[in-house]
Amino acid sequence: MFGKILKEFRQKRGITQDQLAKELNINYTLIGKWENETRKPSFLDVKKIEDFLDISDGFLLDFALKDRLDDLGDDFIIDIKKKDTTEHLIKKSDEALAYIKQIFPETYTLVKNNSHLSETDIIKIANELKRK
């Protein structure tokens, strides 16, 4: 969903993929991959896109986060339940936020300030980040 929304906003603003890529200091082919949803942007890149395209803070981020959560899917929750507790999976949202803040400070600010994320969503994000 993020890719379609990005493309729509970019085109309505009359911005080419090349122009957006230059603004973000990345290769233009990456913009196409985001728009075709074969790759996912970093949350920091999403924030830069919002600023450059003059989109309300958090609007595109909501779509990017939802895409990431959809990628995790129900299998991720089942997988967490099957895991041995020695892997120290995060089970509480306050622990999840503390972990994200410690390891990924830029992501922490975006996650903490996103009112559309449930506690379960935050725990999913933290555990997925921990697995990588």
Side-chain angles (χ1 to χ4, degrees):
M1 183 65 117
F2 170 83
K4 292 175 182 150
I5 301 295
L6 170 61
K7 184 175 184 177
E8 183 178 326
F9 271 98
R10 181 183 58 73
Q11 289 178 334
K12 283 185 178 181
R13 303 278 195 286
I15 305 292
T16 65
Q17 288 181 347
D18 190 49
Q19 289 170 316
L20 181 57
K22 284 179 183 172
E23 179 66 26
L24 299 175
N25 199 28
I26 59 172
N27 189 300
Y28 79 94
T29 60
L30 193 53
I31 304 296
K33 290 176 182 179
W34 293 344
E35 291 181 353
N36 292 323
E37 301 185 6
T38 57
R39 294 275 310 264
K40 305 273 191 252
S42 72
F43 294 136
L44 189 56
D45 283 335
V46 173
K47 175 68 177 129
K48 289 178 184 177
I49 293 167
E50 286 178 338
D51 291 344
F52 180 66
L53 296 179
D54 195 30
I55 299 170
S56 301
D57 281 348
F59 182 79
L60 285 178
L61 180 63
D62 284 346
F63 288 102
L65 285 169
K66 292 292 184 194
D67 282 356
R68 296 268 172 104
L69 291 173
D70 288 346
D71 288 347
L72 296 177
D74 292 335
D75 291 340
F76 179 72
I77 296 297
I78 293 167
D79 191 38
I80 287 175
K81 291 177 181 176
K82 288 181 183 176
K83 294 280 184 189
D84 183 353
T85 56
T86 59
E87 289 192 43
H88 307 292
L89 291 171
I90 298 167
K91 295 181 177 82
K92 295 182 180 177
S93 63
D94 57 337
E95 292 172 7
L97 284 171
Y99 175 77
I100 294 169
K101 183 178 183 180
Q102 178 186 2
I103 307 298
F104 303 97
E106 294 111 6
T107 301
Y108 167 78
T109 303
L110 298 171
V111 169
K112 187 173 187 324
N113 294 332
N114 189 312
S115 61
H116 297 99
L117 291 176
S118 69
E119 289 184 2
T120 303
D121 292 339
I122 293 169
I123 293 168
K124 281 183 189 178
I125 290 169
N127 280 310
E128 181 63 17
L129 292 171
K130 195 172 187 180
R131 290 172 63 178
K132 295 197 182 236

